[in-house]
DNA sequence: AGCAGAAGTCAACAAGCGTTGGCATATCGT
DNA sequence: ACGATATGCCAACGCTTGTTGACTTCTGCT
């Protein structure tokens, strides 16, 4: 790589770094690039989000992007770092897990559009899709494993949960289907919670009532 | 546009045309282009699917693609034409609508990958997203309106149905989350049917059992 | 047979892309 | 104050893209 040119290319997190090392003067630029990159990748996807456009948003030269992040692919990898930050739900009574999970995801999405962005990009970019699979496997699947009765069922139940939650993210934030956009978060939570609850806890098969 | 160059640019459907006009000698080529385009758009999305690659698949010159379809955008518009072909479900008893709809969608997806393709592309291409919204509004929403009790609730219920069904298509065919890929269609139908059934018919709010 | 037009090939274009290296400027330790 | 080095801009590269126009080959009609 071109690692040798950079003073410390493998450096840690940039934004508001609690300085393990002394903060560099260029940190604000790095952060500006990353912020612009996140926005562009979110709005346009990997291919249409050009380095030149990202640089223009950050008001610096395109070459700086490469110098600080090595390549477009590496920039994307950094921009697409994403932690679901799933809270500890071990105190939640089992019959409220669905509602807790759904409402958590909503508050998360409304404040941080990285996941919809990742979703948008993952549809066409293989490494972004791989990233989503990673997040699913290491974060969601692990959390779900702590919620279900039979651990062997965890991956399948996690996948079902993901299908509904990502489906909402897709139709609401990416495709923007009008009725899905218009529905209030509260109503949506009311509708979705029983679904997630069933995927997490119910015995397989159609539920009778 | 360049319409004047073409003998009959605004022509009708190409593949196995039940000749309203006399079939042209080039119809097989047109069909080959369209088939290759569908595959490429499906596999790579709009941006990465290049005209050159499509032409190579169809074993013709890239310029032919333009001559027959005008531009990449128009080619995509033609390739992304998609009819859900929702069957008449008026004979299905109301408490089986969910199961009927879910299993229909599965058989549809397994035989024709156009919808996952459209989904992949819609994430980054605005006109593809618009196409999905159209399909939703004119086809799914209309069908759902015939299934629900209160017509005023139809768009909202249709959106919920779409969120779950498209979520499955996304996780299974586009993102390819391993547990979602591995699950058998029969099991998946068993899990999803109650969800769709509830979105179609149930009173809002958490279901008690 | 000869011709009109359709079908297809070829080479090139302008534009945009990611990326690179060279050069100017600013900052900081000494 | 000075040199080292980090930071930034500029111009250019090699490449790929969609698209175009001129040219050749094939086909079917009279």
């Amino acid at each position: 790589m071109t690692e040798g040119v950079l003073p410390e290319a493998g450096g840690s997190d940039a934004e508001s770094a609690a300085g393990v090392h002394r903060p560099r003067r260029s940190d604000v630029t790095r952060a500006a690039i990353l912020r612009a990159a996140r926005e562009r990748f979110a709005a346009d996807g990997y291919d249409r989000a050009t380095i030149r456009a990202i640089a223009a948003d950050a008001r610096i030269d395109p070459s700086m992007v490469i110098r600080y992040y090595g390549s477009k692919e590496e920039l994307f990898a950094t921009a697409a770092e994403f932690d679901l930050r799933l809270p500890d739900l071990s105190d939640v009574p089992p019959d409220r897990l669905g509602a807790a999970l759904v409402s958590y995801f909503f508050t998360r999405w409304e404040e941080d559009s990285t996941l919809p962005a990742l979703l948008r990009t993952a549809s066409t970019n293989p490494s972004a899709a791989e990233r989503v699979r990673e997040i699913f496997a290491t974060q969601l699947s692990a959390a779900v494993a702590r919620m279900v009765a039979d651990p062997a069922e965890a991956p399948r139940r996690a996948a079902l949960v993901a299908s509904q939650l990502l489906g909402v993210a897709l139709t609401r934030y990416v495709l923007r289907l009008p009725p899905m956009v218009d529905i209030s978060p509260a109503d949506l939570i009311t509708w979705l919670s029983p679904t997630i609850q069933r995927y997490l806890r119910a015995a397989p098969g159609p539920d009778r009532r």
Side-chain angles (χ1 to χ4, degrees), chain A residues 64-179:
Chain A
M64 302 296 293
V65 178
I66 300 294
R67 207 185 266 179
Y68 284 153
Y69 290 94
S71 70
K72 185 181 182 181
E73 194 76 32
E74 292 175 67
L75 171 64
F76 175 76
T78 308
E81 228 140 81
F82 187 71
D83 189 347
L84 286 178
R85 293 208 305 267
L86 281 164
D88 180 24
L89 296 179
S90 55
D91 289 347
V92 176
D95 64 328
R96 297 227 188 287
L97 280 173
L101 203 54
V102 170
S103 39
Y104 170 74
F105 266 91
F106 265 95
T107 57
R108 190 89 178 79
W109 288 341
E110 301 283 333
E111 80 183 20
D112 176 3
S113 64
T114 308
L115 184 62
L118 192 52
L119 213 56
R120 194 188 296 271
T121 308
S123 299
T124 47
N125 186 273
S127 76
E130 178 57 33
R131 177 65 57 94
V132 173
R133 282 191 289 268
E134 272 174 35
I135 292 171
F136 170 82
T138 67
Q139 299 186 42
L140 182 63
S141 209
V144 167
R146 273 177 256 117
M147 303 180 193
V148 303
D150 178 4
E153 284 272 319
R156 166 171 301 197
R157 289 178 186 268
L160 287 163
V161 169
S163 79
Q164 177 62 92
L165 293 181
L166 294 185
V168 172
L170 177 76
T171 50
R172 187 177 170 94
Y173 302 106
V174 178
L175 300 180
R176 307 194 72 79
L177 295 188

Side-chain angles (χ1 to χ4, degrees), chain A residues 29-48:
Chain A
T29 305
R30 296 178 110 89
I33 293 173
L34 200 56
R35 215 175 46 116
R38 287 209 164 101
E39 280 174 23
R40 281 285 172 180
F41 283 134
D44 303 337
Y46 185 84
D47 291 294
R48 293 166 116 86

